[in-house]
Amino acid sequence: MTRAITLLVFLLLVASLALAQDPRYSGPPERDADGSIKRSRAVLREFQRIHPCPSTGLQSGACPQWHLDHVVPLICGGADAIFNLQWLPVELKSCRGALCKDRWERRVYCRFITPTTTLKDHP
């Protein structure tokens, strides 16, 4: 039993160190005066310039049926940077369907890094 607990503690430490070295993590998110997480529109525009919309091929403007998504969520300490963004189909990003990527991500990515959150961050 003691070996199992020691192994578990060791694995948690290794995982937290790995996350701390992952460049997609930047620590607790910056917030606006109203408490919402700050997002950079310039980063989103630059991402779309480098990675055009999958449905239209355009480097700016709307992208039907696709959303920009942070791989490591901002609420979990993810960086608001180009290397932490990806295109996701609306069905995966939306919480209306059977799949809700954002809820799943919070359980996975926020396990070791738990910044202060507000109710606005959780749908």
Side-chain angles (χ1 to χ4, degrees):
M1 183 71 165
T2 304
R3 284 180 122 181
I5 293 172
T6 304
L7 180 61
L8 179 62
V9 169
F10 175 74
L11 290 174
L12 288 173
L13 285 172
V14 169
S16 62
L17 287 174
L19 292 177
Q21 294 175 358
D22 187 337
R24 293 177 297 180
Y25 285 93
S26 65
E30 292 185 42
R31 299 199 176 262
D32 289 330
D34 67 353
S36 60
I37 296 175
K38 287 185 181 180
R39 291 174 171 85
S40 171
R41 292 193 188 276
V43 168
L44 300 177
R45 281 193 305 269
E46 184 63 13
F47 175 84
Q48 190 169 359
R49 188 186 68 74
I50 296 169
H51 306 282
C53 171
S55 63
T56 65
L58 297 177
Q59 293 179 324
S60 63
C63 187
Q65 302 302 312
W66 292 84
H67 283 288
L68 281 174
D69 176 67
H70 289 87
V71 176
V72 176
L74 297 177
I75 188 65
C76 298
D80 193 18
I82 294 168
F83 58 81
N84 190 36
L85 286 170
Q86 65 184 349
W87 285 109
L88 271 187
V90 170
E91 303 85 42
L92 292 178
K93 184 68 176 161
S94 171
C95 284
R96 290 179 294 239
L99 302 173
C100 185
K101 179 184 173 292
D102 289 339
R103 287 189 193 128
W104 177 83
E105 281 180 333
R106 280 188 219 110
R107 286 195 302 266
V108 172
Y109 291 113
C110 293
R111 181 173 297 168
F112 299 107
I113 299 175
T114 55
T116 305
T117 60
T118 65
L119 291 176
K120 292 179 82 172
D121 299 319
H122 298 282

